[in-house]
């Protein structure tokens, strides 16, 4: 057996304690964030995007990000909700806004994890949610392969790790496909796929996809409502302008009658030319007002037509996006099924060729494999003895020491 000697103290913590996160995910150096800011414009009945602020930001070595108009914002140790609230508050203060803009902060990419020791490819790897020690080792190519006596057993370990990763991804893709099918059909609930019923995390996966579906549909319906409200407002404006035009036409008829009467009196010498000029000017003013009303009415009708077209485009884009996502998901599922089949074939081959692999499959004790996580929780790096099911957090260093026990 190979002993693993590392600098620093070795802290033994129960697996459940390692997996527990207090208060949600806390941001740290090398995390990448996607920030979007929008503001509701009541007067216009529309949503204004703050594109100059939105974008991707990387947390620097000092634990801060720099945002236009906001400046340097310390995010290390904070949640995305904390950062979003602070961005909105700073913008409201900076521009003296009546209401606080709505900021959305998402994690575009977690800070990486690091694999070292007896793995095929040590180094830096991107973090993904639900990453465990076993999955992390699989990302690094599995345990390092030694000579022929141990080759098939380690092949089995590697293939089993890959299969675990693929099984996890398969469940996620099946839940995503079920959600997309529900969105395409316009259903309110997601049906449990038969393939997903045997997955232990099926309920959690469907709950997550259901929340996403409701959020996306709510946003889509709000956009449709905003267009409907805008169209209603414009139609009211057209109606008001039509009534105003009717009043002005009646006024124009009276002014023209008065103008004709003054013209006859002027020709008879009973009225001055100055009075005739004033009536002509009044007539021209009423006609100009009518022209302005007609122009405004035409513009409002054009805006109504544009709002109708925007609604058609929004509905078409919604349907096209669902269809495209469903197509991509089906392609990913097909690829994953092939990868999973390959991993299972490799496991079967290893079991048929190696007594060590058979022993490892039966008892799980055919190899001495030691896992240690080096984690900095804010009080300096500490080593934690873990097993292969322990969740890995962003920024962790996973150290692997393994030696197959020979008969």
């Amino acid at each position: 057996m190979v002993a693993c000697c590392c600098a620093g103290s070795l802290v033994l913590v129960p697996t459940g304690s390692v997996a527990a996160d207090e208060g949600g995910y806390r941001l740290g150096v090398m995390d990448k964030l996607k920030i979007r800011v929008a503001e509701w414009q009541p007067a216009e009945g529309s949503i204004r995007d703050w594109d100059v602020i939105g974008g991707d930001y990387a947390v620097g070595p000092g634990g801060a990000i720099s945002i236009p108009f906001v400046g340097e914002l310390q995010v290390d140790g904070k949640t995305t909700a904390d950062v979003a609230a602070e961005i909105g508050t700073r913008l409201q203060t900076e521009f003296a806004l009546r209401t606080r803009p709505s900021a959305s902060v998402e994690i575009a990419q977690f800070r990486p994890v690091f694999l070292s020791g007896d793995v095929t490819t040590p180094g830096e790897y991107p973090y993904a949610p639900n990453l465990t020690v076993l999955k992390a080792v699989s990302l690094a190519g599995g345990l390092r392969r030694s000579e022929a006596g141990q080759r098939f057993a380690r092949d089995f370990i590697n293939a089993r790790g890959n299969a675990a990763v693929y099984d996890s991804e398969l469940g996620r893709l099946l839940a995503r496909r079920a959600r997309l099918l529900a969105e395409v059909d316009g259903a309110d609930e997601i049906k449990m796929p038969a393939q997903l019923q045997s997955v232990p995390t099926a309920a959690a996966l469907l709950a997550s996809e259901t929340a996403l579906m409701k959020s996306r549909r709510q946003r889509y319906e709000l956009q449709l409502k905003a267009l409907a409200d805008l169209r209603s407002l414009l139609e009211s404006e057209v109606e008001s302008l039509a009534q105003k035009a009717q009043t002005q036409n009646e006024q124009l008829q009276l002014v023209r009658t008065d103008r004709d009467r003054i013209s006859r009196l002027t020709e008879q010498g009973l009225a001055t030319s100055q009075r005739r000029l004033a009536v002509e000017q009044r007539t021209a003013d009423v006609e100009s007002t009518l022209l302005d009303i007609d122009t405004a009415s035409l513009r409002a009708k054009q805006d109504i037509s544009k709002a109708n077209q925007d609604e058609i485009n929004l509905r078409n884009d919604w349907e096209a996006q669902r269809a495209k996502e469903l197509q991509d998901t089906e392609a990913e599922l097909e690829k994953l099924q092939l990868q999973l089949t390959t991993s299972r074939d490799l496991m079967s081959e290893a079991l048929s060729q190696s007594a060590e692999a058979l022993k490892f499959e039966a008892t799980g004790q055919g190899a001495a494999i030691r896992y240690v996580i080096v984690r900095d929780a804010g009080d300096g790096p500490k080593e934690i003895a873990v097993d292969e099911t322990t969740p890995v957090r962003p920024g962790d260093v996973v150290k692997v020491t393994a030696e197959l026990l020979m008969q």
Side-chain angles (χ1 to χ4, degrees), residues 81-220:
D82 295 336
V83 176
E86 188 167 352
I87 290 174
T89 300
R90 288 202 186 184
L91 288 174
Q92 183 180 16
T93 303
E94 176 70 19
F95 294 101
L97 301 175
R98 180 179 300 177
T99 59
R100 189 176 72 180
S102 177
S104 170
V105 179
E106 301 174 357
I107 299 176
Q109 182 177 325
F110 291 95
R111 54 188 182 273
V113 295
F114 304 87
L115 276 293
S116 68
D118 283 336
V119 292
T120 301
T121 311
E124 173 185 318
Y125 292 89
Y127 175 84
N130 300 322
L131 185 67
T132 62
V133 170
L134 178 60
K135 294 178 183 179
V137 171
S138 299
L139 292 176
L143 298 176
R144 183 181 294 124
R145 177 178 295 180
S146 62
E147 297 302 322
Q150 302 173 0
R151 180 168 63 86
F152 291 110
R154 295 198 176 187
D155 282 350
F156 173 81
I157 296 171
N158 188 23
R160 190 175 69 172
N162 288 337
V165 174
Y166 297 150
D167 277 330
S168 176
E169 181 68 10
L170 180 63
R172 189 176 65 83
L173 287 176
L174 288 172
R176 184 201 298 176
R177 183 176 65 178
R179 187 252 303 166
L180 290 170
L181 289 172
E183 288 182 339
V184 169
D185 295 338
D188 294 329
E189 300 294 335
I190 301 176
K191 294 181 180 179
M192 171 73 76
Q195 289 178 280
L196 199 60
Q197 291 177 357
S198 59
V199 177
T201 58
L205 289 171
L206 282 187
S208 175
E209 292 294 337
T210 299
L212 177 59
M213 181 179 73
K214 290 181 179 179
S215 174
R216 282 155 56 114
R217 183 168 295 171
Q218 182 180 21
R219 180 183 177 187
Y220 170 66

Side-chain angles (χ1 to χ4, degrees), residues 351 354-367 405-407:
L351 290 173
S354 170
E356 287 79 13
L358 283 170
K359 181 178 179 182
F360 190 87
E361 166 67 3
T363 66
Q365 300 298 321
L405 294 178
M406 301 301 295
Q407 292 273 339

Side-chain angles (χ1 to χ4, degrees), residues 40 43-46 223-237 300 303-304 306-308 310:
W40 173 250
E44 301 175 5
S46 62
Q223 290 175 321
L224 289 176
K225 185 178 183 302
L227 289 173
D229 291 343
L230 175 60
R231 185 169 56 246
S232 177
L233 182 64
L234 290 170
E235 289 171 350
S236 298
E237 182 180 354
D303 290 340
I304 290 174
K306 183 178 182 301
N308 289 332
D310 288 344

